[in-house]
Amino acid sequence: MFKKILIANRGEIAIRVHRACCELGIPTVAIFSEADRAALHVRVCDEAFCVGPAPSRKSYLNMDRILEVAQQCGVDAIHPGYGFLSENAEFAERCAALGITFIGPNTKAIRVMGNKTTSRVAVAEMNVPLVPGMKENLRDEAHAMEWAERIGLPLMMKAAAGGGGKGMRMITRMEDVPAAFRAARSEGLDSFGDASVYLERYVESPRHIEIQVLGDKHGNIIYFPERECSIQRRHQKVIEEAPSTIVDEDMRRAMGEAAVKAARSVGYDSAGTVEFIVSGKTREFFFLEMNTRLQVEHPITEMITGVDLCKEMIKSAAGDPLPFTQEDISLYGHAIECRIYAEDPDNNFLPTPGKIIGLRVPGGPWVRDESGMYEGLDVPIHYDPMLSKLVVWGSTRERAITRMLRALGEYAVKGIKTTISFHARVIGSEAFAKGDFDTHYIDNHFRPADAARPMPHEDVALLSAAIQAYRRDKERAQHLLGGHPDGQEHSAWKSSGRVR
Amino acid sequence: MFKKILIANRGEIAIRVHRACCELGIPTVAIFSEADRAALHVRVCDEAFCVGPAPSRKSYLNMDRILEVAQQCGVDAIHPGYGFLSENAEFAERCAALGITFIGPNTKAIRVMGNKTTSRVAVAEMNVPLVPGMKENLRDEAHAMEWAERIGLPLMMKAAAGGGGKGMRMITRMEDVPAAFRAARSEGLDSFGDASVYLERYVESPRHIEIQVLGDKHGNIIYFPERECSIQRRHQKVIEEAPSTIVDEDMRRAMGEAAVKAARSVGYDSAGTVEFIVSGKTREFFFLEMNTRLQVEHPITEMITGVDLCKEMIKSAAGDPLPFTQEDISLYGHAIECRIYAEDPDNNFLPTPGKIIGLRVPGGPWVRDESGMYEGLDVPIHYDPMLSKLVVWGSTRERAITRMLRALGEYAVKGIKTTISFHARVIGSEAFAKGDFDTHYIDNHFRPADAARPMPHEDVALLSAAIQAYRRDKERAQHLLGGHPDGQEHSAWKSSGRVR
Amino acid sequence: MTYIATYRGQITKIQVQESEAGNFRVTLGNRDYVVDFLEPQKNILSLIIDGKSYEVDVDAAANSDDFGVMIKGDHYEIEVVEERKKKLAMKLAAGASGRQDLKSPMAGNVRAVLVQVGEHVAAGQVLLILEAMKMQNEIKSPIAGILGSITAREGVTVSMGDPLCVVEPIPD
Amino acid sequence: MTYIATYRGQITKIQVQESEAGNFRVTLGNRDYVVDFLEPQKNILSLIIDGKSYEVDVDAAANSDDFGVMIKGDHYEIEVVEERKKKLAMKLAAGASGRQDLKSPMAGNVRAVLVQVGEHVAAGQVLLILEAMKMQNEIKSPIAGILGSITAREGVTVSMGDPLCVVEPIPD
């Protein structure tokens, strides 16, 4: 097993990885940007080194500095988390050159799966179903028109290097093909430095369902029951659950086996996720892409299988064979995850950086908190707005839903607005209860106008504000008179009095 | 199902019951003493009523007032939690007389199991193994000598109404029998208002192992895998785990079936626990007593079976038949619970009431927090010092242990001393890892002298204190000069600036 | 003390009286409430009203009459002003122009300023782009008008509530 | 600034220097430390020393030189006094008697006072019983002596650190 691991990430995933290391008895090294000196991951890890200024490219993406720290403190492995350098083949190679294990798959897998067209070629050879469409990139507009006719409408024009909804254009009329070609190329070049684009069929009522796989360095690959990730906002997952309401035992096995084949096409040897697009109408599933890293939503799979994916990923990177076979994995209950963002759901999801001045985290049975927050944290403006993930387990989907609603109700984050109450509205909706949704659900059903919905406790809100105004005015008045009202300030040095 | 439930308790168990109700969609009514106005259970329940002054007998044991509140707000059921009125047959009867369901077993079960000698008679009729000894009370010293000879040394003299280690005397010499008889009688009378005492054999290297049972109003009773509760301090459980290291499948079934027989002897129809004393030498098990309520340590059984006991108890009280049979209950992994007390483990476990000025609760995979704490809570001096329960699950016992150590390391309660670090020393001990302990383990192995053990971070502690002294002195100096250093005080009215 | 509260454009007169420490009588329009009040954590209130228990978060900026109130996950933005102060403010407002002071809705970095002083802008036209947490957010003009002044500078970080620019209505 | 720290009876000289905001140089006996210092939550410190990250809780009572320090679950009670103040205190202590001021080790209720002023008490003799959280705790005399005065009263609640009684040593 590793002697010391550097965690090349921040926020909740850095803490998740630290926890796994801690339980494995492996000391950890945190890295942080100048904006993150006060971040929780810096405080919980055993060692911590600053790797540069706030902007990611100068710190969390700064390979030179990160590798310098890694060598300086003698780590023998680096866990990249998700995002940042987690799918960067060059970084993985540089680690290897220094004799440091990159905790992730082999670099060929990263490269092939990092590009949509090369990954389509690779998995098609293993007979994994693809969204009907191209396995090469488009040469020019004429080529685009030719393929558009062949595949038929509606179509998706996609940047080959794309991800996260960028560089994508839906096409419903043939005459829009040339414009979509130009737009997708330009977005691909801007966002990913790669102008390659290709065409595939647009799947209607799409659901996004993905399969976690886990491989080792001895050729073993297993799959886990699916995750349903269709609840998205602007192509970003917001709520995930496992299992999916539309997948039965046969479909689960078929998707799992397809995912293992996809993984086998690149000799996959770590934790990874094969994403499928599923037609909500026909329940056909098609390979979309493979993420060659630990996924944000990995905890729901952990909750329904009892497997600690983060720990197994580390053990596999250290050369351990998988401690279980496909037959050992069984599905147990239901799990849901809500991603809590620092965004104002009633104001077009504007980011809300700022100081967390009060925090009460939900607890009790089968509630799991994955968070980088603490009372007093100043949420920086430089990074992703995800604050935490709230995960629940229930013996049935219905119980998981009522538990998630209960837990969301307990979650109090003060000082900044978050998406907590928004999650409660989505999870509490009838369509969600029925499992009746696709990837457009939030964008179609939760409009900005919802902010004007009637609020149930208007009177209590009004009288609370008035009482606070009264108390403020009373304190001010007493202050003017030189008095010191009940709200007297404690010196920074007065404290618990715990010490005699 | 019930329309509204009053929770006749406080602290973590009131919150546990509220959470179950919340997930069942049932509104809750909290009661509180004058000392508990700021308690968390008052804030999370839907309604809240003060039932009297701080001392328990004037508030949490004040049946008249509690029933008055219950009627006033129209509840149709009362959940008593544990302690307080939970095993009070008179209270259960008064609830029934008002048409309010007492969420617990029938009153006969409470009465019979509330007395050691009557319970021994009842379960012996069902052929449940008893600690060899009497099934009646002692008449006088002569009677005591006669029975002492018959059972043989070593002996235990016990108060029939006793519990929690009170009214018990171990006897190793025949000549001590008369004195033990007098002492136990007097303690029984003082503590429980009942001077009845009896004799039973003293079991050597005793382990305390208990079986959770669950019954309904239709005659069904099932058992759950055992809980190991031998880690005790002065006869109070401190750490519990499930399953036990000394119980195998056969013994598990035998104990479970014995527990169901004991429950059947009183027509048990709710959640309850049958406690056994087990010889660490011979693994023989003997009935000790039955607790006719939800137990503090119920969460570990929930974690290894996936059953929400608190919820099932409520549903059973409402007349629902059990939704599963014995065959549906299977054992899944391992769970451990640590009871976190407001006590100073390095100062003879003196209670440490006071204000919690900082709190960070452990999170992450398979960590469950059951707590009534929040940052700012002033822990009152009037009640039990248990602050919270920390529960973890792991796929194996070893993983549960490393996870508990990790979680204890994350747990930060500032302002008052707690037993958190003490738990880490017990759980981290070699004997615990081997499962090699009995009920005397803590009292024998963790002596007050341990407080003088060498501390690993002495230098960091010294320099931290010195830096804080320096910063205080600097602030004072600047204050004298009229300056306002970096630690400037915010007005109570300055806050997040979240509002424009 | 009497206050005027404005919530979603609706005005309510509220009388607050402290009957004893921790107990308030509040009259809201014509509805009376007896409030058992406690602030166990700063800005987190525990209210018991007629047996019902509420946990209420209240935020108020330093010298502002705007209160952000959170109850069971819902957010209420309420302005509370003392009655006489409010009357004065309303008189002043009656004489004021339709001038729009645009303030930053969040902390962020000014990515781009797309307009110049003196330029005519349409209602809804994008004036600036603010970036925070990897997202670009457009700041639009609430009215058609002329750009009066611009405080925001490209590449400069702003806090929530900082002035960005002023749009003057087109004179009649 | 130079301090004298006392921990478990052992005395250490500590020099503290703030090299720049958030950075300290500390000399502990003959060991030098460069400390990257932050207080992200009140009384909770984040220290990075030579790459090692420590989270340290420090409590100090209002006007006390006693610091309660918690690191990774272990508790350290440390007295830190400025060097010149310490020298003065030691001089005074040299001339002081062995008089014992007993203070309450916790908040609680005085259940029973078992001795009277002027009474001879043995070392370890129980003087009072304090009750808190359903537990009775005995307060014992640290020395053999004579009871000088009693501040504690039966049935009265005391806070941690409140004086309970004084035991005077028996005069030679």
Side-chain angles (χ1 to χ4, degrees):
Chain A
M1 189 41 67
F2 301 115
K3 292 193 309 290
K4 199 192 278 189
I5 291 178
L6 182 145
I7 302 168
N9 217 303
R10 65 182 298 282
E12 68 87 18
I13 192 62
I15 289 165
R16 172 70 186 94
V17 174
H18 167 75
R19 283 172 170 150
C21 293
C22 189
E23 294 178 12
L24 287 168
I26 306 169
T28 56
V29 178
I31 59 166
F32 60 99
S33 74
E34 287 166 11
D36 268 345
R37 171 63 181 87
L40 197 54
H41 74 282
V42 175
R43 294 158 64 186
V44 299
C45 288
D46 299 289
E47 301 179 36
F49 293 87
C50 184
V51 291
S56 301
R57 75 200 140 74
K58 294 186 181 166
S59 47
Y60 295 108
L61 294 173
N62 183 345
M63 294 190 218
D64 291 342
R65 173 68 183 138
I66 292 170
L67 291 170
E68 182 184 298
V69 167
Q71 286 190 286
Q72 183 187 328
C73 51
V75 306
D76 48 1
I78 294 183
H79 197 302
Y82 51 72
F84 295 132
L85 297 169
S86 62
E87 290 173 295
N88 188 312
E90 184 197 339
F91 183 67
E93 277 162 2
R94 288 187 60 180
C95 288
L98 295 171
I100 294 170
T101 303
F102 174 84
I103 301 177
N106 64 77
T107 43
K108 180 196 156 200
I110 301 177
R111 276 193 215 284
V112 171
M113 290 301 176
N115 182 289
K116 287 198 200 304
T117 35
T118 57
S119 68
R120 282 168 68 87
V121 172
V123 308
E125 274 171 23
M126 304 290 283
N127 295 317
V128 174
L130 292 182
V131 181
M134 304 173 65
K135 290 199 286 280
E136 62 196 296
N137 297 322
L138 285 169
R139 289 189 305 273
D140 50 36
E141 287 178 27
H143 195 209
M145 284 306 292
E146 181 194 322
W147 269 99
E149 301 283 357
R150 199 189 302 179
I151 303 169
L153 292 170
L155 281 165
M156 283 296 270
M157 180 78 72
K158 286 189 170 180
K166 274 189 180 154
M168 267 172 30
R169 282 291 181 283
M170 186 183 165
I171 301 166
T172 53
R173 301 183 311 175
M174 278 299 167
E175 59 262 45
D176 295 339
V177 169
F181 174 75
R182 290 190 300 270
R185 277 181 70 85
S186 137
E187 263 186 54
L189 192 62
D190 275 9
S191 303
F192 315 104
D194 184 343
S196 314
V197 299
Y198 72 101
L199 277 168
E200 61 179 37
R201 200 177 85 192
Y202 173 78
V203 178
E204 293 187 82
S205 286
R207 290 176 76 128
H208 177 125
I209 299 177
E210 62 185 28
I211 303 289
Q212 173 78 49
V213 297
L214 183 62
D216 63 20
K217 294 187 172 173
H218 309 273
N220 303 304
I221 306 179
I222 60 168
Y223 67 86
F224 292 80
E226 77 284 356
R227 293 189 290 252
E228 164 70 75
C229 308
S230 301
I231 304 289
Q232 307 187 345
R233 204 180 65 76
R234 296 181 193 158
H235 305 288
Q236 293 285 344
K237 297 167 192 167
V238 170
I239 296 170
E240 298 100 346
E241 63 178 317
S244 166
T245 53
I246 64 161
V247 176
D248 59 22
E249 263 313 317
D250 288 343
M251 187 172 169
R252 181 164 300 129
R253 194 176 328 105
M255 290 185 81
E257 286 168 0
V260 169
K261 278 193 227 163
R264 261 195 214 296
S265 75
V266 289
Y268 206 80
D269 51 355
S270 181
T273 296
V274 180
E275 298 193 333
F276 293 96
I277 192 159
V278 180
S279 163
K281 290 187 177 159
T282 65
R283 298 206 306 151
E284 290 169 283
F285 61 89
F286 309 103
F287 173 85
L288 199 59
E289 63 179 38
M290 181 168 189
N291 294 324
T292 56
R293 53 166 163 84
L294 199 63
Q295 198 95 324
V296 175
E297 57 272 25
H298 75 276
I300 54 174
T301 303
E302 296 183 325
M303 298 319 284
I304 59 162
T305 60
V307 173
D308 188 323
L309 290 169
C310 190
K311 224 181 251 182
E312 297 305 338
M313 182 187 188
I314 295 169
K315 287 169 62 189
S316 156
D320 287 11
L322 295 186
F324 28 65
T325 62
Q326 190 63 54
E327 289 65 47
D328 296 324
I329 304 302
S330 54
L331 195 169
Y332 181 74
H334 199 95
I336 306 178
E337 170 181 284
C338 288
R339 302 185 182 193
I340 313 296
Y341 288 97
E343 292 175 347
D344 181 356
D346 286 341
N347 193 8
N348 205 24
F349 293 90
L350 273 188
T352 55
K355 197 178 178 99
I356 293 169
I357 59 168
L359 179 65
R360 208 167 65 231
V361 173
W366 295 291
V367 170
R368 169 172 170 182
D369 168 54
E370 293 284 342
S371 165
M373 284 192 278
Y374 61 86
E375 199 162 311
L377 175 68
D378 214 330
V379 180
I381 64 170
H382 309 285
Y383 311 108
D384 188 275
M386 195 172 81
L387 296 169
S388 75
K389 303 179 312 204
L390 178 60
V391 183
V392 303
W393 178 89
S395 53
T396 63
R397 184 170 191 266
E398 191 203 339
R399 287 200 166 194
I401 288 176
T402 56
R403 183 159 289 140
M404 180 57 92
L405 289 171
R406 187 269 291 170
L408 288 166
E410 289 180 16
Y411 212 149
V413 179
K414 279 194 50 63
I416 60 174
K417 286 178 192 160
T418 71
T419 53
I420 292 170
S421 64
F422 176 74
H423 283 294
R425 291 196 290 134
V426 176
I427 300 252
S429 69
E430 206 179 314
F432 187 84
K434 286 188 189 151
D436 177 20
F437 49 74
D438 61 29
T439 56
H440 307 305
Y441 179 61
I442 287 185
D443 296 330
N444 288 345
H445 290 83
F446 291 84
R447 322 296 300 225
D450 277 12
R453 68 196 177 280
M455 297 291 189
H457 299 291
E458 194 182 308
D459 273 16
V460 177
L462 285 169
L463 67 82
S464 297
I467 289 175
Q468 288 298 74
Y470 172 88
R471 293 175 71 229
R472 174 198 59 191
D473 293 345
K474 188 180 149 195
E475 193 198 348
R476 280 183 185 160
Q478 281 173 316
H479 209 75
L480 285 177
L481 296 170
H484 225 351
D486 44 296
Q488 86 226 55
E489 285 307 298
H490 300 282
S491 146
W493 297 103
K494 172 153 184 196
S495 70
S496 68
R498 165 173 109 184
V499 179
R500 261 167 286 162
Chain B
M1 190 41 68
F2 301 115
K3 294 193 308 291
K4 198 193 279 188
I5 291 177
L6 183 144
I7 302 168
N9 216 301
R10 65 182 298 283
E12 68 86 19
I13 192 62
I15 288 165
R16 172 70 186 97
V17 175
H18 167 74
R19 283 173 169 150
C21 292
C22 189
E23 294 178 12
L24 288 167
I26 306 169
T28 56
V29 179
I31 59 167
F32 60 97
S33 74
E34 287 165 11
D36 269 344
R37 171 63 182 87
L40 197 54
H41 74 282
V42 175
R43 296 158 64 186
V44 299
C45 289
D46 300 287
E47 301 180 36
F49 293 87
C50 183
V51 292
S56 300
R57 74 201 141 73
K58 293 186 181 168
S59 47
Y60 295 107
L61 294 171
N62 182 345
M63 294 189 219
D64 291 343
R65 175 64 184 140
I66 292 169
L67 291 170
E68 184 184 296
V69 167
Q71 286 191 287
Q72 184 187 326
C73 50
V75 306
D76 48 0
I78 293 182
H79 197 302
Y82 52 71
F84 294 131
L85 296 168
S86 62
E87 291 175 294
N88 187 311
E90 185 197 339
F91 183 66
E93 277 161 2
R94 288 185 61 180
C95 287
L98 295 172
I100 294 170
T101 303
F102 175 85
I103 300 177
N106 64 77
T107 43
K108 181 198 156 201
I110 301 177
R111 275 193 216 285
V112 172
M113 291 299 178
N115 182 289
K116 288 198 196 305
T117 36
T118 57
S119 68
R120 283 168 66 88
V121 172
V123 307
E125 274 171 23
M126 305 289 283
N127 296 316
V128 174
L130 291 181
V131 180
M134 304 173 65
K135 290 198 286 280
E136 64 196 293
N137 296 323
L138 285 168
R139 289 190 304 273
D140 49 37
E141 288 179 25
H143 195 208
M145 284 306 293
E146 181 194 323
W147 267 99
E149 302 281 359
R150 199 189 302 179
I151 303 170
L153 290 172
L155 281 165
M156 284 295 270
M157 180 78 70
K158 286 188 171 183
K166 274 190 179 153
M168 267 172 28
R169 282 290 181 283
M170 186 184 165
I171 301 166
T172 53
R173 303 184 310 176
M174 277 301 168
E175 58 263 46
D176 295 339
V177 170
F181 174 75
R182 290 190 300 270
R185 277 180 70 84
S186 139
E187 263 185 52
L189 192 61
D190 275 8
S191 302
F192 314 103
D194 184 345
S196 314
V197 299
Y198 73 100
L199 277 167
E200 60 179 38
R201 199 177 86 191
Y202 173 79
V203 177
E204 292 186 84
S205 285
R207 289 176 79 128
H208 176 124
I209 299 178
E210 62 185 26
I211 303 288
Q212 173 78 50
V213 297
L214 182 63
D216 63 19
K217 294 187 173 173
H218 309 275
N220 304 303
I221 306 179
I222 60 168
Y223 67 86
F224 291 79
E226 76 285 354
R227 293 189 290 252
E228 164 70 74
C229 308
S230 301
I231 304 288
Q232 306 188 345
R233 205 180 63 78
R234 297 182 193 156
H235 304 289
Q236 293 285 343
K237 296 167 193 166
V238 171
I239 296 170
E240 299 99 345
E241 64 178 317
S244 166
T245 54
I246 64 161
V247 176
D248 59 22
E249 265 311 318
D250 288 343
M251 187 172 171
R252 181 164 299 130
R253 193 177 328 104
M255 289 184 80
E257 285 167 1
V260 169
K261 279 193 226 162
R264 263 198 212 297
S265 76
V266 289
Y268 205 79
D269 51 354
S270 182
T273 297
V274 180
E275 299 194 333
F276 293 97
I277 192 160
V278 179
S279 163
K281 292 190 176 158
T282 65
R283 299 205 306 149
E284 290 169 282
F285 61 89
F286 309 103
F287 173 85
L288 200 61
E289 64 179 36
M290 180 168 190
N291 294 324
T292 57
R293 52 166 164 85
L294 198 62
Q295 199 96 323
V296 175
E297 58 272 25
H298 76 274
I300 54 174
T301 303
E302 296 184 325
M303 298 319 285
I304 59 162
T305 60
V307 174
D308 187 324
L309 290 168
C310 189
K311 224 180 250 183
E312 297 304 338
M313 182 188 190
I314 294 168
K315 288 168 63 188
S316 157
D320 287 11
L322 295 186
F324 27 64
T325 63
Q326 190 62 56
E327 288 67 46
D328 297 324
I329 304 302
S330 55
L331 196 169
Y332 182 74
H334 199 95
I336 306 179
E337 171 181 281
C338 288
R339 302 185 182 195
I340 312 296
Y341 288 98
E343 291 175 348
D344 181 356
D346 285 339
N347 192 7
N348 205 23
F349 292 89
L350 273 189
T352 54
K355 195 176 180 99
I356 294 168
I357 60 168
L359 179 65
R360 208 169 64 230
V361 173
W366 295 291
V367 169
R368 170 173 170 180
D369 167 56
E370 292 285 341
S371 164
M373 283 191 279
Y374 61 86
E375 198 162 313
L377 175 69
D378 213 329
V379 180
I381 63 170
H382 309 286
Y383 311 108
D384 188 276
M386 195 173 79
L387 295 170
S388 76
K389 303 180 312 203
L390 179 59
V391 183
V392 303
W393 178 88
S395 53
T396 63
R397 184 171 190 265
E398 191 203 339
R399 286 199 165 195
I401 288 175
T402 55
R403 183 159 288 140
M404 179 58 93
L405 290 172
R406 187 270 291 171
L408 287 165
E410 290 181 16
Y411 213 150
V413 179
K414 279 195 49 65
I416 61 174
K417 287 177 192 163
T418 71
T419 54
I420 292 170
S421 63
F422 176 74
H423 282 294
R425 289 196 292 135
V426 176
I427 301 252
S429 70
E430 204 178 318
F432 186 83
K434 286 188 188 151
D436 176 21
F437 48 75
D438 62 28
T439 56
H440 307 304
Y441 178 61
I442 288 185
D443 296 331
N444 289 347
H445 290 83
F446 291 85
R447 324 295 300 223
D450 277 11
R453 69 195 177 283
M455 298 292 188
H457 299 290
E458 195 181 309
D459 272 14
V460 178
L462 285 169
L463 68 83
S464 299
I467 290 176
Q468 288 298 74
Y470 171 88
R471 294 174 72 228
R472 174 197 59 192
D473 292 346
K474 188 180 150 194
E475 195 199 346
R476 280 182 186 160
Q478 282 172 315
H479 209 76
L480 285 176
L481 297 170
H484 225 351
D486 45 294
Q488 84 225 57
E489 284 307 297
H490 300 280
S491 146
W493 297 103
K494 172 154 182 199
S495 70
S496 69
R498 166 172 106 186
V499 179
R500 260 167 289 162
Chain C
M1 202 93 102
T2 305
Y3 293 91
I4 304 294
T6 312
Y7 171 64
R8 289 186 170 176
Q10 208 160 346
I11 283 176
T12 313
K13 186 168 170 173
I14 308 182
Q15 281 167 294
V16 180
Q17 224 183 316
E18 194 167 5
S19 40
E20 54 184 301
N23 268 288
F24 291 88
R25 295 188 65 88
V26 182
T27 308
L28 221 152
N30 52 11
R31 301 179 297 285
D32 284 324
Y33 294 92
V34 175
V35 182
D36 176 346
F37 175 98
L38 191 78
E39 189 175 12
Q41 285 166 277
K42 194 159 159 268
N43 292 344
I44 301 189
L45 315 180
S46 165
L47 307 184
I48 303 178
I49 305 170
D50 201 20
K52 300 271 183 300
S53 181
Y54 300 92
E55 192 165 283
V56 181
D57 297 5
V58 180
D59 263 355
N63 284 304
S64 163
D65 291 319
D66 293 331
F67 291 80
V69 180
M70 179 100 81
I71 304 174
K72 294 190 204 292
D74 287 317
H75 204 267
Y76 305 77
E77 301 270 349
I78 302 171
E79 187 207 54
V80 181
V81 183
E82 227 193 299
E83 195 175 25
R84 41 201 177 106
K85 230 172 104 188
K86 181 71 182 175
K87 282 181 181 157
L88 192 68
M90 283 167 78
K91 261 187 219 154
L92 287 175
S97 76
R99 182 191 143 105
Q100 300 287 322
D101 287 309
L102 268 69
K103 289 179 180 153
S104 180
M106 61 185 185
N109 193 283
V110 179
R111 250 309 145 100
V113 177
L114 307 169
V115 285
Q116 297 185 336
V117 172
E119 196 174 326
H120 274 73
V121 296
Q125 182 178 338
V126 179
L127 308 177
L128 307 112
I129 293 179
L130 261 185
E131 191 180 76
M133 293 174 150
K134 305 200 316 190
M135 282 176 61
Q136 303 206 347
N137 303 284
E138 301 174 335
I139 306 296
K140 296 172 182 171
S141 178
I143 57 167
I146 298 168
L147 208 72
S149 66
I150 307 180
T151 320
R153 291 286 167 265
E154 277 184 23
V156 173
T157 299
V158 293
S159 298
M160 184 159 68
D162 279 359
L164 297 174
C165 63
V166 174
V167 182
E168 305 278 2
I170 299 166
D172 299 319
Chain D
M1 202 95 102
T2 305
Y3 293 92
I4 304 295
T6 312
Y7 170 64
R8 289 185 170 176
Q10 207 159 346
I11 281 175
T12 313
K13 186 167 169 173
I14 308 182
Q15 279 166 294
V16 180
Q17 221 183 319
E18 194 167 7
S19 39
E20 54 184 302
N23 268 289
F24 290 88
R25 294 188 65 90
V26 183
T27 308
L28 222 151
N30 52 9
R31 300 179 298 285
D32 284 324
Y33 294 92
V34 175
V35 182
D36 176 346
F37 175 98
L38 189 78
E39 189 174 12
Q41 283 166 279
K42 198 164 155 260
N43 292 344
I44 301 188
L45 315 180
S46 165
L47 308 184
I48 303 179
I49 304 170
D50 201 18
K52 299 270 182 301
S53 181
Y54 299 91
E55 193 165 281
V56 181
D57 297 5
V58 180
D59 262 356
N63 285 304
S64 163
D65 292 319
D66 293 331
F67 292 79
V69 179
M70 179 100 81
I71 303 175
K72 295 190 204 289
D74 287 317
H75 204 269
Y76 305 77
E77 301 269 351
I78 301 171
E79 187 205 53
V80 181
V81 184
E82 227 194 300
E83 195 176 25
R84 45 202 172 103
K85 229 171 104 187
K86 181 70 183 180
K87 283 181 179 155
L88 192 69
M90 282 167 78
K91 259 188 218 152
L92 287 175
S97 75
R99 175 192 149 106
Q100 300 288 321
D101 287 309
L102 268 69
K103 290 180 179 152
S104 181
M106 60 184 183
N109 194 284
V110 179
R111 249 311 146 98
V113 178
L114 306 169
V115 284
Q116 296 185 336
V117 171
E119 198 173 322
H120 274 72
V121 295
Q125 182 178 338
V126 179
L127 308 178
L128 307 111
I129 293 178
L130 263 185
E131 191 181 76
M133 295 176 145
K134 305 198 321 191
M135 282 177 60
Q136 301 205 349
N137 304 285
E138 300 173 339
I139 305 296
K140 296 172 181 172
S141 179
I143 56 165
I146 298 167
L147 210 71
S149 66
I150 307 180
T151 321
R153 290 286 167 268
E154 276 183 25
V156 173
T157 299
V158 291
S159 299
M160 184 160 69
D162 279 359
L164 297 173
C165 63
V166 174
V167 183
E168 304 278 2
I170 299 165
D172 299 320

